[in-house]
Amino acid sequence: IIELRLRYADKYLPYNEILGTALHELAHMEIGPHNKKFKRLVALLEEEYLQLIMMKLSFPKELSSSRELRARAAEARRANSC
């Protein structure tokens, strides 16, 4: 479970700050310490997020199934384990 703070007192945090924390915590689900592999994974997640935004969240047809998405995630993990 990942819990994110959306606001302090009566002021909401900026979207980019919340997103950055979410991606950071997602990376911790795969890699615990803040080492080079962890930093590469965070950078990969940030890049993939930006690519999705650039595509306006429209997935290419070949990535439309959860099986394909899982396969791509596994491939990224293997690449980061080098």
Side-chain angles (χ1 to χ4, degrees):
I1 295 176
I2 296 174
E3 294 183 21
L4 300 173
R5 182 181 301 271
L6 302 179
R7 61 189 167 121
Y8 288 112
D10 62 344
K11 188 174 184 178
Y12 283 95
L13 295 169
Y15 174 80
N16 288 338
E17 189 174 328
I18 296 168
L19 176 67
T21 302
L23 295 176
H24 177 100
E25 295 306 326
L26 281 172
H28 273 305
M29 295 180 80
E30 186 68 27
I31 301 170
H34 291 113
N35 57 24
K36 288 181 183 179
K37 288 182 185 180
F38 175 84
K39 291 175 183 175
R40 281 196 308 255
L41 181 56
V42 170
L44 175 68
L45 291 171
E46 289 171 346
E47 180 62 30
E48 286 188 5
Y49 171 77
L50 291 174
Q51 288 175 3
L52 288 173
I53 292 301
M54 297 288 281
M55 295 181 336
K56 297 182 181 178
L57 299 177
S58 61
F59 284 100
K61 191 172 186 176
E62 65 272 10
L63 295 179
S64 62
S65 77
S66 61
R67 184 180 323 145
E68 292 296 327
L69 289 171
R70 285 193 305 272
R72 184 168 177 199
E75 182 180 321
R77 282 194 300 273
R78 282 192 298 275
N80 278 322
S81 67
C82 298

